[in-house]
Amino acid sequence: MSDPLIPLEPERPRLVETAAEGPLGGPSYSYRGAVIECQKGGHVCRLVMLEHPLHGHSFGVAGTITPLVDLWVDERRLPRYMRAVPKAKR
């Protein structure tokens, strides 16, 4: 008797370190078309993804940015608790 086929889960996207010391002095990563640049220590990181409404904003660790990228890539939206507000013109 043969084993029934078990559907495999699709491979989850991975955060890939691209530099140990990037533009902000800490590690840089690529993730699903985004670049995540961190300061030394990796506790404050910036999202670089031109088409994302939060492009250029800083957050906590890289792991706090990846769900924002996932939601944007998969559904083209931000979490319900977030709103992108255009920067004021000076």
Side-chain angles (χ1 to χ4, degrees):
M1 185 185 284
S2 63
D3 293 335
L5 293 177
I6 299 171
L8 298 175
E9 288 186 32
E11 187 173 325
R12 298 177 67 107
R14 291 185 351 210
L15 188 64
V16 177
E17 186 175 303
T18 56
E21 189 174 319
L24 300 181
S28 288
Y29 303 92
S30 66
Y31 182 76
R32 298 189 77 181
V35 174
I36 300 171
E37 300 170 338
C38 301
Q39 294 180 3
K40 283 188 178 188
H43 299 290
V44 177
C45 301
R46 172 175 66 194
L47 171 61
V48 179
M49 187 178 199
L50 292 175
E51 65 274 12
H52 198 290
L54 300 173
H55 166 74
H57 287 77
S58 294
F59 301 91
V61 297
T64 62
I65 297 175
T66 55
L68 297 173
V69 173
D70 288 334
L71 198 55
W72 185 255
V73 170
D74 295 339
E75 301 180 28
R76 285 290 193 247
R77 69 178 185 89
L78 294 173
R80 287 187 175 92
Y81 64 88
M82 281 189 163
R83 286 175 116 162
V85 177
K87 292 182 180 179
K89 293 182 181 180
R90 294 183 180 178

